[in-house]
């Protein structure tokens, strides 16, 4: 049975992905910084179908400790066949106001953390002849989002990392990405508040503006992004490799 492994699973999309993997009967290990939220999630994961659900409290910004924790986890609990790269988005703000540190920190938390985790779990995937790596990135890979300059920049790097990796992984081990559109989570609340503050509009007006550009007529739900991730993480997605799949209610106008 595949051992699901999640990053940033204490809230939002990652939490929903953990539950979706548990419904598939996978063993699930959830990783984030907030131990209390992870502990609170474990009973729901066990009830959903992952009796050996576990929490791994770690900070993706601290790769030295992250590596040590994951090595211990792998030697104690065995190999991982499903890795979901998901973490918190970079801070909101115009590109020109961002300092160097903001780029370095976002690159580190997204690309370098995913790269480290992948290299650590890959030997187990290769030995099993089966592996799925799924990245939660953003629609901004295809169309930059205003006021998210650092995020837009780093998402492009993450998508290129994934596409490069797709050509190097052996048969049976795949990498794909999901590009969420506007999805109703803590992250979107923070984004709407920041945009409201910056533009003098209300939060409702900001959210209404987003919705007006979405043919489906509403914001996305974390569970809807999670369904796409769970599919890409399943054996059924065996011939998909290196795709970036928007889950956005039709927001993206490009083909
Ligand atoms: N919501 C949207 O509309 C939307 C749209 C496009 C893209 N995205 C992207 O999709 C991803 C998930 O979005 P979301 O809305 O679910 O975000 P969220 O609600 O802010 O949740 C982020 C998750 O990442 C974890 N995390 C943050 N920093 C971490 C760190 N240094 N180490 C370990 N875990 C960390 C958080 O847990 P802890 O705080 O407990 O560590 C939390 O579980 C983000 O990259 C986001 O930018 C979201």
């Amino acid at each position: 049975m595949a051992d699901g492994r999640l990053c940033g699973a204490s809230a939002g999309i990652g939490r929903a992905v953990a539950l979706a993997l548990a419904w598939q009967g996978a063993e699930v290990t959830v990783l984030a910084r907030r131990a209390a939220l992870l502990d609170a999630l474990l009973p729901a994961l066990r009830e959903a179908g992952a009796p050996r659900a576990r929490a791994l409290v770690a900070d993706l910004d601290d790769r030295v400790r992250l590596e040590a924790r994951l090595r211990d986890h792998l030697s104690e609990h065995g190999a991982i066949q499903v890795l979901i790269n998901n973490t918190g988005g970079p801070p909101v703000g115009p590109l020109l106001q961002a300092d160097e540190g903001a780029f370095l920190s976002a690159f580190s938390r997204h690309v370098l953390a995913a790269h480290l985790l992948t290299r650590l779990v890959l030997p187990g995937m290769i030995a099993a002849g089966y592996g799925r790596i799924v990245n939660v990135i953003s629609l901004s890979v295809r169309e930059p989002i205003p006021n998210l300059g650092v995020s837009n920049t780093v998402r492009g790097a993450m998508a290129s990392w994934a596409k490069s990796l797709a050509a190097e992984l052996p048969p049976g081990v795949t990498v794909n990405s999901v590009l969420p559109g506007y999805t109703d989570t803590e992250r979107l609340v923070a984004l709407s508040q920041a945009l409201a503050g910056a533009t003098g509009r209300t939060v409702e007006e900001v959210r209404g503006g987003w919705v007006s550009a979405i043919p489906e007529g509403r914001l996305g739900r974390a569970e809807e992004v999670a369904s796409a991730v769970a599919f890409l993480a399943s054996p059924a997605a065996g011939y998909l490799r290196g795709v970036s799949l928007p889950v956005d209610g039709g927001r993206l106008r490009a083909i």
Side-chain angles (χ1 to χ4, degrees):
M1 181 187 288
D3 183 10
R5 166 82 160 75
L6 294 192
C7 296
S10 64
I13 292 167
R15 186 181 189 282
V17 173
L19 284 163
L21 289 185
W23 291 323
Q24 289 182 343
E27 286 183 41
V28 177
T29 298
V30 284
L31 180 151
R33 295 164 301 180
R34 288 175 287 179
L37 290 186
L38 294 179
D39 286 344
L41 177 57
L42 292 181
L45 293 173
R46 291 180 183 134
E47 199 175 323
R52 288 181 296 284
R54 299 179 189 100
L56 185 54
V57 179
D59 185 345
L60 295 172
D61 291 329
D62 181 350
R63 286 193 303 285
V64 173
R65 276 198 202 153
L66 178 66
E67 175 167 358
R69 295 239 161 101
L70 184 52
R71 284 192 187 283
D72 287 349
H73 183 87
L74 292 171
S75 54
E76 196 176 337
H77 302 297
I80 277 166
Q81 273 81 51
V82 176
L83 168 66
I84 313 295
N85 286 312
N86 175 66
T87 184
V92 179
L95 188 65
L96 286 174
Q97 281 178 19
D99 60 22
E100 233 183 52
F103 289 96
L104 293 172
S105 150
F107 189 82
S108 167
R109 187 188 309 159
H110 287 260
V111 183
L112 298 184
H115 189 64
L116 172 66
L117 295 175
T118 298
R119 291 179 68 168
L120 289 172
V121 301
L122 195 54
M125 293 178 174
I126 292 172
Y130 179 87
R132 297 280 181 267
I133 301 166
V134 185
N135 312 300
V136 178
I137 315 183
S138 170
L139 203 62
S140 62
V141 167
R142 301 270 175 81
E143 186 180 312
I145 299 172
N147 220 36
L148 279 175
V150 174
S151 178
N152 294 335
T153 307
V154 169
R155 307 302 184 162
M158 188 70 195
S160 288
W161 172 83
K163 194 68 181 171
S164 306
L165 182 63
E168 293 188 14
L169 293 172
V173 182
T174 66
V175 59
N176 292 288
S177 304
V178 166
L179 311 181
Y182 292 103
T183 310
D184 209 0
T185 65
E186 280 175 24
R187 163 84 175 162
L188 204 67
V189 171
L191 185 56
S192 60
Q193 288 168 344
L195 271 177
T199 59
R201 290 180 291 164
T202 65
V203 166
E204 290 68 32
E205 284 167 346
V206 169
R207 290 168 72 95
W210 289 336
V211 168
S212 69
I214 300 171
E216 197 53 39
R218 61 175 175 80
L219 299 175
R221 292 188 280 270
E223 295 73 20
E224 292 170 321
V225 178
S227 300
V229 174
F231 166 65
L232 291 172
S234 74
Y239 207 55
L240 284 154
R241 176 183 275 254
V243 304
S244 291
L245 174 67
V247 182
D248 67 344
R251 165 72 185 77
L252 190 69
R253 296 298 190 266
I255 293 170

